[in-house]
Amino acid sequence: MYSRIIINDLKNSKLISVTTFLFVAASAMLLALAGMLFINLTGAIDGLMMVAKTPHFMQMHSGEVDLERLEIFSESNDAIQAFQVMEFVNFESWDMVVEGLPFDGGIQDNGFIKQGRRFDFLVNLEGEIIEPKNGEIYVPLSYMREGSIKEGESVALYGSVFTVAGFLRDSQMNSPLSSSKRFLVSDSDFETIKSMGKMEYLIEFRLQDLDDLRTFETEYIAAGLESNGPTLTYRLFRVINGLSDGLMIAVIVLVSFLVVVITFLCIRFTLLARMEDDYREIGVLKAVGFHNSDIIRLFLAKYTVITFLGCVFGYLASLMVKDSLLEDIKLFMGTYHQTGVEVFLGIISAVVIFVIVLAYVYHVLRRIRTVSVTESIRFGAVQEHSRMYRSFLMSKSRVLNSNVYLAIKDVLGRKKLYWTMMIILLISICIMTLPINLLSTISSDRFVSYMGIGKSDFRVDIQQTADIQQKADAIASVMENDSDILRYVVLTARSYVVLGDDGRDGRLRIEAGDHSVFPIMYSEGRMPTEPGDIALSAMNAEELGKRVGDKITVIIGGEAVQLTVCGLYSDITNGGRTAKAAFSDFDDTVMWSVISAEVQAGSNLGSIVSRYAETFSYAKVSNIEEYVQMTFGSTIVAIRRASNVGILVAFFISFLITLLFVKMLVSKDRYSIAIMKSIGYNSKDVCFQFIVRILLVAIAGIGLGILVSITMGEHIAGLMISSFGATSFSFEINGIFTYLVCPALMLIAVYTATLISSQSVKSINIATCIKE
Amino acid sequence: MKIISGKSITKQFGEGSERRTILDHISIDILQGEFVTIMGASGSGKSTLMYALSGMDYVNSGEVLFEGSELSKLKEEKLSDLRRARMGFVFQQPTLLKNLNLLDNIILPAVREKKLDRREIVVRAESLMDSVGILELSMRDITQVSGGQLQRAAICRALINSPSVIFGDEPTGALNSSSSQEIMNILLDINKHGTTVILVTHDAKVSAVAERIFFLSDGKIVSEMRLPPYEGTNVEDRVQRVSEEMMELGI
Ligand SMILES: Nc1ncnc2c1ncn2[C@@H]1O[C@H](COP(=O)(O)OP(=O)(O)OP(=O)(O)O)[C@@H](O)[C@H]1O
Ligand SMILES: [Mg+2]
């Protein structure tokens, strides 16, 4: 008996059933995908880092290395399991010739290396540790992706010729977000060419217990060992490896959450509308002695069928889509072999959706209990109206078009019904505009200033070389006389001893100079302007336990000087541990120097950059835009894809929901439509009323949605961005898309859907509907 | 002059074996200014005939001419315009929009016309409401008035555009005899001013005021009765004649 009622009901409400099914399927698919991608990503990263034996702590260092002292330190420290110093030889892109052409190494710090002795192994695409033969070179995977170099090609480097034997996965530096790339050659080839490039040391440790990392870091700093370069940890490697795909997963989770919300709203309004339709009937059923539970069971049975089918379909769809999204993870991190876990997680996700959707249906259905028998039979669904609604009258208006009036009156009179619709459109516009504004924010040239890089045209880095101060002065004097340069600023960084509050001293790299020329964004406080000011990067502030206004004691020129923390900022450069101050200090211990410059409007930035790069071969000259492109390029691509999908999804959702909504409205309103027709309103009038009603709701929803997306969206996006290390953040709004294109697209979707659905008004027969 | 002319109207309902002919080749002419009623047993097709004559429902065969134009050949918009400007319709139950108050419901057919002045429309509506005694209810919601008052509002709405024909499908059916009498007086008054009135009714007293009475049975007009124009006299006698005819036909 039940099955017959269910099948009949499904047949009678095809559109509702199909829409509910689609949304359930989409929710199940997205959640299952997120689950499967997540387990694949973490599994693959763990797998790679296990095979590669990624160091737990790594200090990059340029300059002399006292191996003996390091040896003694590591033997005396029980926490250390293994220790090694790797030599990393930097080469310039033009030093390497691929098939006769200079290598396009972008802005990365490229270098070669030999395979790790005890740990930190580079692995091939099969996930095995590579043992390169003489004459072979293995190239980082990202270059395979960019297509700048191919397997079998010959590579000339410092007079030696190598053959590209394959590509390598680097558990530390795979990601485009990490600025170095390691090429692998055999041990004996390495010895031949190592003297030709700039040597940098990777001082690496594996600990007995990863939990001891923090203590170990302070011990290392306290021991005053080699520290001329960034410090990186296991945790950071994991984060960097997972970031771009993690971001994708985060977006999928976010979207699936929104789709679940829309599914709920959709169920809510179809069910409520159905129940309102059946209000009398339900009352009558109750009056003749039906129990609430019987009525609930009937509806629940129908939704169980739809939800079950939706979840199964969604799960199957996720299996089909999965592989294309896994491509990147598989290439860079390798395959995760626990298919059992993956399948299980997918199924669990689908089951979760099944359970929460049904729970929600049950929740909505419980309203049936509140249908009072006598009331429903006497009045149908009664609604209280506000005084404003009641005083909005046709008879009081001189000019208002009667169709517009009827539409407005209807929307005001059934707010609850239209409310749901409005929320759905609100969410849709958010799905559209959020990724777009995230994209415009990340791709805006101001974005780097949230990351600790002032907005300039190009920067010259001088580090890991002798006489940095003199070299910086030389470049500065050239810039001074260069008519192409509008303005520039020299910042010099030195390493200072900081007196810790607990008596333990640490070291702090402080960038001194004029920070007002190319200012960065401070998440708190302001930039250093007085000699007694210091601004700390978020990571340093956290480690030192300092906030704005706190004092910090630094040894400058042999004297303890008290500085006041004036600001905090986010930084992705130099391992995130930097500080900025305005004092001047002329001793000769400069660690590095950065000269930022802005060119005259209209001059050719590219040629200026290459001119400086050629003239000052000891310095690293980078075009900021190119730098951003390289660092965030893949993220930008991912977000652009997400925003395209977002637009499509939102368009589709608004279209489908409006189609369904209007169809239901027409069927609900057929009695009043028949009345209007009987007094001489034609189908066009009624369709027009539907369009006005829906556009009113759409405009409200879109307007509020844009507001939500640019206020709350900023917070949500801020959370996502903070995974890059940026703490303060404000949206860079893409006005054309946010205020014009997206609303226009939504309105088109909603308008077309209304137009299509309201055509059924034509087939409403006055005689039949009035008799009901 | 014929205002409505039905020629061999046939209307069927249902599909396949359940298909039944409700109107079976009915021909009927109604003259301008006439007061006509249609009588018949319940389910005999009175309402169906009414809908066919007013173009509210399509017919399966035959044709209906309204002021010379064939309804089934008109575009929907033309038909709506005709319905709005030339016809008024009062249904068996009051059919008012429930989110509007009485006055707004009444002026609804008129405000669709952009040319008409709103103030004049409201003035006219108020004088109509006054004449049927519901003026003080004009700002009430339709849930706040009685069935008889609703039906009077429906009549006002039917009259707001000064139609040439007014159709009533048992407009007094749901009312007590005093309300019923008032509504009949209103309709007679309108008829005096030249509006054609076509009523469906069970009630011999209602039919007694008509000039012509059609009796419907088995899908056909089985009898047509003529009475002299009603002057407010001979009421008993007229009722008597109608009742006798009804008895004879077994209604
Ligand atoms: N839409 C429909 N589908 C099927 N049959 C219908 C439909 N409308 C009316 N009928 C049938 O047509 C016949 C005539 O109906 P109609 O409403 O015209 O009767 P009536 O004479 O007005 O009766 P009453 O005095 O009870 O109002 C009835 O038997 C009815 O069951
Ligand atoms: Mg009837």
Side-chain angles (χ1 to χ4, degrees):
Chain A
M1 191 322 253
Y2 274 156
S3 63
R4 224 188 56 224
I5 295 178
I6 292 170
I7 289 171
N8 264 337
D9 197 42
L10 287 179
K11 265 190 202 154
N12 289 336
S13 50
K14 269 185 232 118
L15 189 63
I16 293 176
S17 310
V18 168
T19 312
T20 312
F21 166 82
L22 280 181
F23 279 115
V24 171
S27 311
M29 181 185 93
L30 288 169
L31 202 64
L33 264 183
M36 289 191 288
L37 289 181
F38 178 76
I39 195 74
N40 265 291
L41 180 64
T42 52
I45 290 176
D46 286 344
L48 174 64
M49 290 179 85
M50 204 165 71
V51 174
K53 290 202 169 171
T54 310
H56 293 159
F57 176 87
M58 180 172 90
Q59 172 72 55
M60 297 178 88
H61 177 78
S62 42
E64 292 297 298
V65 171
D66 189 341
L67 261 180
E68 211 168 309
R69 195 173 52 159
L70 281 168
E71 209 77 65
I72 292 167
F73 170 77
S74 78
E75 253 150 49
S76 67
N77 194 320
D78 293 338
I80 298 172
Q81 184 197 50
F83 149 74
Q84 72 182 11
V85 175
M86 286 181 106
E87 295 169 314
F88 179 54
V89 181
N90 284 282
F91 63 85
E92 296 295 344
S93 285
W94 50 82
D95 289 334
M96 187 160 129
V97 177
V98 181
E99 295 283 323
L101 294 170
F103 175 60
D104 176 15
I107 50 116
Q108 305 278 12
D109 290 327
N110 294 302
F112 51 87
I113 204 162
K114 60 186 181 190
Q115 188 60 283
R117 286 284 80 75
R118 291 165 219 171
F119 57 93
D120 192 10
F121 304 118
L122 300 171
V123 302
N124 63 16
L125 298 189
E126 275 70 54
E128 301 149 353
I129 296 166
I130 305 171
E131 284 164 15
K133 300 192 189 64
N134 290 340
E136 285 183 349
I137 188 166
Y138 284 82
V139 177
L141 252 176
S142 50
Y143 291 120
M144 170 176 146
R145 267 294 284 278
E146 281 168 25
S148 43
I149 194 164
K150 291 180 192 62
E151 196 168 333
E153 286 184 333
S154 76
V155 170
L157 189 65
Y158 300 131
S160 307
V161 175
F162 299 91
T163 312
V164 177
F167 294 91
L168 62 84
R169 288 195 187 116
D170 185 334
S171 66
Q172 288 185 19
M173 301 173 178
N174 250 347
S175 162
L177 293 170
S178 91
S179 62
S180 302
K181 290 284 165 282
R182 303 193 289 187
F183 291 67
L184 181 66
V185 295
S186 77
D187 291 6
S188 66
D189 286 338
F190 184 81
E191 297 305 323
T192 335
I193 53 173
K194 82 175 195 189
S195 59
M196 322 280 272
K198 221 162 35 181
M199 177 69 78
E200 194 173 353
Y201 295 96
L202 310 179
I203 302 161
E204 305 179 329
F205 297 91
R206 295 261 304 175
L207 305 181
Q208 301 285 4
D209 187 350
L210 195 54
D211 294 338
D212 296 335
L213 191 59
R214 269 203 117 81
T215 346
F216 178 80
E217 277 185 82
T218 38
E219 281 169 2
Y220 185 89
I221 293 169
L225 297 168
E226 281 73 4
S227 62
N228 186 13
T231 316
L232 304 161
T233 60
Y234 192 83
R235 254 191 310 157
L236 193 67
F237 294 137
R238 253 190 83 100
V239 169
I240 289 184
N241 276 330
L243 211 53
S244 12
D245 292 302
L247 212 64
M248 176 174 80
I249 295 173
V251 170
I252 293 178
V253 170
L254 194 76
V255 171
S256 72
F257 174 74
L258 292 178
V259 173
V260 170
V261 172
I262 290 178
T263 312
F264 279 9
L265 290 173
C266 177
I267 287 173
R268 202 183 102 95
F269 94 68
T270 49
L271 254 182
L272 285 186
R274 250 318 279 281
M275 271 155 58
E276 210 177 298
D277 264 0
D278 297 352
Y279 217 76
R280 276 161 190 277
E281 216 167 297
I282 291 171
V284 172
L285 281 179
K286 278 188 176 184
V288 300
F290 261 82
H291 284 295
N292 283 325
S293 53
D294 295 327
I295 302 166
I296 292 179
R297 206 177 302 142
L298 220 73
F299 276 107
L300 207 56
K302 170 186 163 186
Y303 275 91
T304 309
V305 173
I306 295 178
T307 312
F308 179 76
L309 291 178
C311 286
V312 169
F313 185 83
Y315 174 68
L316 294 179
S318 77
L319 291 183
M320 294 194 304
V321 182
K322 176 189 78 169
D323 283 328
S324 68
L325 292 176
L326 274 176
E327 231 169 63
D328 253 28
I329 298 177
K330 279 192 173 144
L331 181 63
F332 279 94
M333 254 68 77
T335 315
Y336 175 66
H337 294 290
Q338 304 275 358
T339 22
V341 178
E342 182 188 304
V343 169
F344 178 71
L345 214 73
I347 291 177
I348 283 290
S349 308
V351 170
V352 164
I353 295 288
F354 180 76
V355 170
I356 61 173
V357 169
L358 278 191
Y360 186 75
V361 171
Y362 184 72
H363 169 79
V364 175
L365 283 174
R366 279 199 330 192
R367 282 188 175 215
I368 288 180
R369 289 185 203 284
T370 64
V371 175
S372 127
V373 178
T374 48
E375 245 181 45
S376 65
I377 292 179
R378 272 187 56 209
F379 301 114
V382 208
Q383 274 185 357
E384 280 298 311
H385 293 303
S386 67
R387 180 168 297 169
M388 201 193 77
Y389 168 81
R390 300 196 49 205
S391 59
F392 174 58
L393 295 172
M394 184 86 242
S395 49
K396 294 267 155 57
S397 154
R398 289 278 163 75
V399 284
L400 190 62
N401 176 294
S402 56
N403 288 318
V404 174
Y405 166 75
L406 286 169
I408 296 175
K409 194 84 179 173
D410 188 70
V411 172
L412 293 178
R414 292 193 288 184
K415 287 202 200 79
K416 254 193 204 159
L417 190 69
Y418 290 103
W419 185 251
T420 319
M421 170 82 186
M422 197 194 77
I423 299 284
I424 291 177
L425 294 177
L426 186 152
I427 293 176
S428 296
I429 188 97
C430 284
I431 294 180
M432 264 194 190
T433 51
L434 263 181
I436 285 179
N437 286 325
L438 195 60
L439 180 67
S440 66
T441 305
I442 292 186
S443 42
S444 102
D445 52 3
R446 258 188 32 202
F447 185 64
V448 286
S449 61
Y450 292 108
M451 304 283 167
I453 304 168
K455 182 195 170 312
S456 60
D457 288 331
F458 71 98
R459 59 186 261 162
V460 184
D461 286 83
I462 315 162
Q463 47 184 319
Q464 298 161 3
T465 148
D467 306 326
I468 291 178
Q469 186 73 65
Q470 285 83 335
K471 287 172 178 166
D473 290 345
I475 297 176
S477 68
V478 170
M479 284 193 176
E480 189 65 50
N481 298 316
D482 188 337
S483 60
D484 283 336
I485 304 289
L486 181 64
R487 54 200 179 127
Y488 70 93
V489 69
V490 183
L491 299 177
T492 50
R494 297 175 178 82
S495 180
Y496 293 92
V497 172
V498 188
L499 301 183
D501 296 336
D502 53 359
R504 287 204 290 191
D505 301 346
R507 289 201 148 261
L508 191 61
R509 275 181 290 261
I510 304 177
E511 255 175 27
D514 186 352
H515 296 284
S516 65
V517 183
F518 300 114
I520 59 163
M521 294 289 174
Y522 290 82
S523 53
E524 261 179 73
R526 53 170 178 84
M527 67 172 91
T529 48
E530 307 298 318
D533 286 344
I534 186 166
L536 296 176
S537 73
M539 219 180 250
N540 264 332
E542 192 193 331
E543 267 167 33
L544 294 167
K546 297 290 180 193
R547 297 212 245 133
V548 172
D550 289 354
K551 303 270 186 241
I552 182 168
T553 312
V554 179
I555 308 289
I556 303 173
E559 275 176 57
V561 177
Q562 235 191 21
L563 302 173
T564 309
V565 178
C566 63
L568 302 180
Y569 58 92
S570 321
D571 201 351
I572 57 158
T573 62
N574 299 299
R577 288 186 176 79
T578 58
K580 297 181 192 294
F583 61 73
S584 34
D585 176 17
F586 297 108
D587 73 2
D588 205 30
T589 55
V590 176
M591 278 172 70
W592 86 79
S593 185
V594 185
I595 305 166
S596 303
E598 189 180 330
V599 301
Q600 295 281 6
S603 46
N604 183 339
L605 180 60
S607 71
I608 297 170
V609 168
S610 44
R611 175 151 55 84
Y612 276 86
E614 273 161 39
T615 321
F616 305 103
S617 58
Y618 49 79
K620 183 178 150 192
V621 183
S622 32
N623 183 330
I624 297 290
E625 215 175 280
E626 203 180 327
Y627 174 83
V628 172
Q629 191 52 43
M630 290 299 283
T631 315
F632 300 108
S634 60
T635 311
I636 289 175
V637 168
I639 295 180
R640 176 165 295 141
R641 200 176 299 155
S643 79
N644 288 344
V645 172
I647 290 179
L648 221 74
V649 166
F651 187 85
F652 187 68
I653 288 177
S654 343
F655 182 80
L656 197 65
I657 289 285
T658 312
L659 206 65
L660 176 76
F661 188 77
V662 174
K663 186 132 186 149
M664 282 186 36
L665 267 188
V666 171
S667 125
K668 249 172 106 61
D669 290 357
R670 59 187 182 279
Y671 180 66
S672 12
I673 294 172
I675 294 177
M676 285 190 275
K677 282 184 160 192
S678 78
I679 59 172
Y681 281 72
N682 59 38
S683 300
K684 264 195 195 147
D685 291 326
V686 179
C687 289
F688 177 68
Q689 286 176 24
F690 274 99
I691 286 169
V692 175
R693 290 187 201 178
I694 299 299
L695 285 186
L696 278 176
V697 176
I699 287 167
I702 291 170
L704 284 177
I706 290 174
L707 221 67
V708 167
S709 127
I710 58 183
T711 52
M712 256 164 62
E714 191 165 298
H715 289 285
I716 297 170
L719 281 178
M720 279 166 65
I721 298 279
S722 71
S723 58
F724 283 107
T727 45
S728 71
F729 169 80
S730 78
F731 248 167
E732 198 80 22
I733 288 165
N734 182 337
I736 294 186
F737 266 85
T738 309
Y739 302 121
L740 216 69
V741 178
C742 294
L745 280 175
M746 292 276 296
L747 288 178
I748 290 172
V750 166
Y751 177 80
T752 346
T754 310
L755 208 60
I756 293 172
S757 257
S758 63
Q759 291 311 304
S760 52
V761 164
K762 287 196 178 134
S763 62
I764 286 185
N765 181 297
I766 304 171
T768 321
C769 291
I770 287 222
K771 267 185 257 170
E772 277 177 11
Chain B
M1 200 183 102
K2 279 187 253 178
I3 186 159
I4 297 175
S5 165
K7 290 181 186 152
S8 195
I9 304 168
T10 301
K11 177 76 184 172
Q12 296 166 320
F13 284 117
E15 293 298 322
S17 61
E18 292 182 16
R19 195 163 179 82
R20 290 192 303 126
T21 303
I22 305 301
L23 303 180
D24 188 6
H25 296 89
I26 288 185
S27 293
I28 182 170
D29 287 328
I30 289 154
L31 304 180
Q32 183 140 34
E34 261 191 316
F35 198 121
V36 169
T37 64
I38 300 168
M39 301 195 79
S42 180
S44 58
K46 305 182 295 291
S47 298
T48 309
L49 177 61
M50 199 73 143
Y51 293 135
L53 293 178
S54 60
M56 298 258 187
D57 206 354
Y58 66 95
V59 291
N60 295 86
S61 73
E63 55 180 36
V64 180
L65 299 175
F66 185 91
E67 295 181 334
S69 40
E70 197 196 320
L71 294 180
S72 65
K73 295 235 169 78
L74 292 177
K75 285 217 183 79
E76 196 228 351
E77 281 150 57
K78 267 268 174 302
L79 192 58
S80 297
D81 291 345
L82 203 61
R83 196 179 288 141
R84 196 173 60 247
R86 316 287 296 146
M87 305 180 198
F89 212 112
V90 184
F91 293 93
Q92 214 158 346
Q93 329 80 23
T95 55
L96 299 178
L97 293 180
K98 71 171 173 209
N99 50 347
L100 306 185
N101 68 20
L102 283 193
L103 178 60
D104 275 3
N105 259 300
I106 290 167
I107 63 176
L108 206 54
V111 291
R112 165 71 172 67
E113 239 73 55
K114 290 181 185 66
K115 295 181 293 266
L116 297 180
D117 184 83
R118 287 282 161 86
R119 264 173 312 182
E120 282 171 22
I121 294 172
V122 173
V123 167
R124 177 167 165 73
E126 280 168 349
S127 84
L128 282 170
M129 289 174 91
D130 194 21
S131 69
V132 301
I134 54 168
L135 183 57
E136 61 277 20
L137 306 176
S138 68
M139 287 298 139
R140 294 263 186 102
D141 277 354
I142 66 160
T143 47
Q144 298 168 327
V145 296
S146 74
Q149 290 162 336
L150 279 183
Q151 203 59 314
R152 284 184 240 180
I155 292 174
C156 292
R157 184 182 63 186
L159 295 173
I160 189 78
N161 281 340
S162 317
S164 49
V165 183
I166 182 157
F167 296 90
D169 186 354
E170 292 186 55
T172 59
L175 304 180
N176 62 27
S177 61
S178 71
S179 309
S180 172
Q181 196 52 55
E182 280 171 39
I183 285 180
M184 284 314 295
N185 290 339
I186 297 161
L187 290 172
L188 280 167
D189 191 46
I190 299 159
N191 181 244
K192 275 221 182 67
H193 290 88
T195 307
T196 313
V197 177
I198 306 173
L199 288 189
V200 161
T201 184
H202 283 305
D203 191 343
K205 274 203 226 119
V206 171
S207 266
V209 303
E211 295 161 64
R212 257 198 312 161
I213 304 161
F214 297 96
F215 293 90
L216 209 59
S217 178
D218 291 327
K220 296 194 187 300
I221 293 174
V222 287
S223 166
E224 185 185 328
M225 175 187 257
R226 279 178 187 277
L227 292 173
Y230 181 67
E231 302 287 351
T233 53
N234 290 338
V235 184
E236 313 270 285
D237 182 35
R238 293 172 76 111
V239 174
Q240 183 68 27
R241 282 186 60 187
V242 176
S243 304
E244 274 167 15
E245 184 70 16
M246 285 170 74
M247 294 271 245
E248 199 158 303
L249 295 167
I251 295 170

